[in-house]
Amino acid sequence: MTTAPKSNIDSQYQRTVGELVEDIQALTTEIQELYCLDSIPWIIGFSGGKDSTTVLQLIWNAIAALPIKKRRKTIYVISTDTLVENPIVSAWVSRSLEWMKVAAQEQQLPIEPHLLQPQIQDTFWVNLIGKGYPAPRLQFRWCTSRLKINPANHFTREVVRANGETILVLGTRKAESIKRAATMEKHEEGRLRNRLSPNSSLPNSLIYSPIEDWRNDEVWLYLNQYENPWGQSNKDLFAMYRGATEDNECPLVVDTSTPSCGSSRFGCWVCTMVSKDKSMEAMIQNDEEKEWMQPLLDIRNELDVENDRDRRDFRRLTGNVQLFERNIDGEISVEPIPGPYTKEWRETWLRKLLSAQTQIRRTAPLQMRDITLITAEELSEIRRIWLEEKHEFDDSLPRIYQEVTGEIFLDPRPGADNSLLGADEWTVLEELCQGDAMHLELMAKLLDTERQYRTMTSRTGIYSKLEKCFETSSRSPTDAIANAHYKRDLKTAAGDGNVETVKQLTWADLKFQAKNDIS
């Protein structure tokens, strides 16, 4: 490929309709030339939104205009279902992919739609309800890579493995945000030709961004003037965006001076990376037929609390207390970093989610009543984590499921219902521990660790596992936090070379241990 000059189209330049039409014609030729240049397969990222629809439509029409004998290489259309997508958008994308598959076959186009999903261990609810991960925040944004990036990257790597390389076609635009524009301009430095950039995250793949210089109103103008080639209605897409704006206003784009509703954004209905889910709020507010989504908005808003320390363990997921300096209004304090949601709150989130699913299946429009907010496979994995990793052998998930839904939970995992310990043994243990939560946790871990090793041919490692139980669960919260402070102070004093402080701390710790041994 030869290096092409940088596009001279400024995203802020107000192009006329005639200039936009000329650009569409030029892009059509560019797409056809790039497609016919080699045998490298293409992957188009499709979210169902206006930008990805525009890109796919441009490419679809360009390839359809080629002679059949030149349509020789595959174009994969991939869309990632995070399993927590806005239900309206999720249904729209699923229908879109079905229509694409049929239309591509009828029109003899080498276009293959694929609906991707995260692996079970990476799904939102398995991590939040199963492992206890707190709702995502800027400091701990654990969701995006697991739910979106990993499935797409895995698919891309498979295509690269089979073909040597690939071209990713994306609907990214500089006009989306200042940050997006800066990122795209940075990647332009290593370009092979116009709008074709190297992919910094995936080797042997290039990124093609045909509409990088388009404005929002130009996107809508195109979608309203050019018919959707796989048979869906762009007017329905327009209506979906309009319904997701606060004032229900999304003016018809008639020329380049007309503002558009391009600020509407769809995403995961559980997203706590934004202050409010304005799109879902607007949908519920603007359309009585979408009021059934209110339970979802309620859960999302409850997840998004400013301070959820009372819902979370005082230890990290590893079982250790980790301290950090907290600055509130100039007052610095050293406190433990809150860890995963407690058992009580993990069970609470499960109840709320199942209750929402049950309610929606009763009240939603007929076409949405088969909605699944959490799959049986996810429930099974959550149950496994609670039983095997958290040693909660009371096995509360099937009970909660039946209490909320009125149905018996049928676990798809073979042998999931075979257990030596259960709810009865848990009740006895609770009585013996007399309300001491840490004592209960320790006893449960010790008993279940022994149970897990009972059927193994080799019990190598059992003593280190039992010792780990004592390290993480034998101290009360007060003592565990105090011990973390002691270790931090001792490390700081040693690092500063303060011998006197080290002696004092060590002597105080020895006296404390001796006192406990006597008692």
Side-chain angles (χ1 to χ4, degrees), residues 45-268:
F46 180 76
S47 68
K50 66 186 189 307
D51 296 332
S52 62
T53 299
T54 296
V55 165
L56 178 56
Q57 195 165 301
L58 281 167
I59 290 176
W60 188 298
N61 289 333
I63 304 306
L66 290 172
I68 292 178
K69 63 180 181 180
K70 289 191 175 182
R71 308 173 193 171
R72 66 185 186 278
K73 66 182 183 184
T74 305
I75 298 176
Y76 301 99
V77 178
I78 62 172
S79 184
T80 303
D81 177 11
T82 62
L83 303 179
V84 282
E85 295 293 318
N86 179 303
I88 302 298
V89 180
S90 179
W92 171 268
V93 171
S94 296
R95 288 195 302 270
S96 298
L97 297 180
E98 291 171 4
W99 284 54
M100 285 176 208
K101 184 176 182 180
V102 173
Q105 291 175 348
E106 292 176 349
Q107 299 173 33
Q108 295 182 276
L109 290 169
I111 295 176
E112 291 184 13
H114 293 265
L115 185 62
L116 313 179
Q117 291 183 344
Q119 296 184 17
I120 287 298
Q121 65 268 25
D122 285 342
T123 69
F124 186 85
W125 296 121
V126 165
N127 282 278
L128 189 136
I129 296 178
K131 298 177 183 177
Y133 279 18
R137 290 289 186 271
L138 288 174
Q139 300 88 344
F140 188 35
R141 188 172 183 169
W142 54 264
C143 52
T144 306
S145 58
R146 288 176 169 85
L147 303 185
K148 295 184 178 182
I149 297 175
N150 290 350
N153 283 357
H154 176 74
F155 185 92
T156 302
R157 289 191 186 98
E158 290 300 312
V159 173
V160 170
R161 187 175 290 114
N163 299 276
E165 52 188 330
T166 187
I167 292 178
L168 296 174
V169 187
L170 304 177
T172 51
R173 294 182 300 109
K174 296 174 184 176
E176 289 181 83
S177 67
I178 296 175
K179 182 178 180 182
R180 174 58 59 83
T183 301
M184 294 179 70
E185 287 171 2
K186 180 181 179 181
H187 289 162
E188 287 177 10
E189 297 173 1
R191 283 193 161 175
L192 302 177
R193 58 179 289 171
N194 200 25
R195 288 180 278 272
L196 191 65
S197 307
N199 188 342
S200 58
S201 59
L202 287 173
N204 296 337
S205 63
L206 299 171
I207 294 177
Y208 180 45
S209 46
I211 62 169
E212 61 181 22
D213 295 306
W214 286 31
R215 301 189 313 273
N216 288 341
D217 56 337
E218 292 176 330
V219 170
W220 282 119
L221 179 61
Y222 173 79
L223 291 175
N224 278 281
Q225 297 301 318
Y226 290 78
E227 186 177 357
N228 186 300
W230 54 90
Q232 279 196 305
S233 170
N234 287 338
K235 289 182 173 60
D236 290 342
L237 176 63
F238 185 83
M240 186 165 66
Y241 269 85
R242 181 178 59 190
T245 57
E246 293 182 23
D247 54 6
N248 200 22
E249 296 257 345
C250 191
L252 181 63
V253 181
V254 293
D255 57 40
T256 54
S257 65
T258 307
S260 76
C261 56
S263 60
S264 300
R265 286 188 177 274
F266 303 107
C268 302

Side-chain angles (χ1 to χ4, degrees), residues 107 128 133 211 216 234 275 295 298 308 340 385 390 510 518:
Q107 299 173 33
L128 189 136
Y133 279 18
I211 62 169
N216 288 341
N234 287 338
S275 58
D298 292 339
D308 60 357
I385 291 170
K390 296 188 178 295
L510 289 172
I518 294 173

Side-chain angles (χ1 to χ4, degrees), residues 53 61 98 152 162 254 274 298 311 379 403-404 416 470 475-476 501 503:
T53 299
N61 289 333
E98 291 171 4
V254 293
V274 292
D298 292 339
R311 301 175 178 180
L379 288 166
E403 289 173 356
V404 175
F470 281 102
R475 293 185 176 93
S476 68
T501 301
K503 287 181 179 179

Side-chain angles (χ1 to χ4, degrees), residues 255-441:
D255 57 40
T256 54
S257 65
T258 307
S260 76
C261 56
S263 60
S264 300
R265 286 188 177 274
F266 303 107
C268 302
W269 66 265
V270 293
C271 185
T272 50
M273 298 303 298
V274 292
S275 58
K276 294 172 66 177
D277 188 341
K278 294 181 179 179
S279 62
M280 183 175 285
E281 285 183 356
M283 283 184 173
I284 296 171
Q285 172 187 326
N286 295 334
D287 190 345
E288 290 184 358
E289 293 185 0
K290 294 184 175 64
E291 290 181 354
W292 58 269
M293 292 196 295
Q294 186 63 48
L296 304 186
L297 188 60
D298 292 339
I299 290 177
R300 184 259 164 218
N301 290 340
E302 191 166 357
L303 280 169
D304 189 24
V305 296
E306 185 174 349
N307 186 356
D308 60 357
R309 296 170 72 89
D310 61 323
R311 301 175 178 180
R312 296 163 61 183
D313 202 313
F314 65 96
R315 299 157 295 181
R316 303 307 299 272
L317 199 60
T318 58
N320 299 316
V321 176
Q322 187 174 346
L323 303 175
F324 76 111
E325 286 190 1
R326 194 180 189 193
N327 189 333
I328 301 179
D329 298 329
E331 291 193 12
I332 297 177
S333 60
V334 179
E335 302 178 16
I337 298 175
Y341 289 123
T342 62
K343 182 178 190 294
E344 176 187 359
W345 269 98
R346 284 185 277 109
E347 292 176 349
T348 296
W349 291 129
L350 177 62
R351 284 185 181 276
K352 289 179 181 294
L353 184 62
L354 291 174
S355 296
Q357 177 173 278
T358 302
Q359 180 179 343
I360 289 173
R361 287 179 174 179
R362 290 198 305 262
T363 61
L366 290 177
Q367 67 271 22
M368 299 299 295
R369 289 195 180 181
D370 61 346
I371 193 169
T372 299
L373 300 183
I374 183 168
T375 66
E377 290 75 19
E378 288 178 286
L379 288 166
S380 177
E381 178 63 8
I382 289 169
R383 185 188 186 192
R384 185 199 67 78
I385 291 170
W386 287 5
L387 286 169
E388 297 181 8
E389 297 181 18
K390 296 188 178 295
H391 305 285
E392 295 165 356
F393 56 78
D394 57 325
D395 197 14
S396 60
L397 188 144
R399 172 175 52 81
I400 293 172
Y401 185 89
Q402 186 169 7
E403 289 173 356
V404 175
T405 67
E407 302 172 358
I408 295 175
F409 176 61
L410 302 177
D411 198 319
R413 186 163 51 95
D417 295 314
N418 300 331
S419 180
L420 294 175
L421 301 172
D424 292 340
E425 288 77 14
W426 189 272
T427 301
V428 171
L429 201 59
E430 282 183 317
E431 293 175 356
L432 291 174
C433 293
Q434 299 179 344
D436 188 331
M438 294 305 298
H439 191 195
L440 173 63
E441 180 182 293

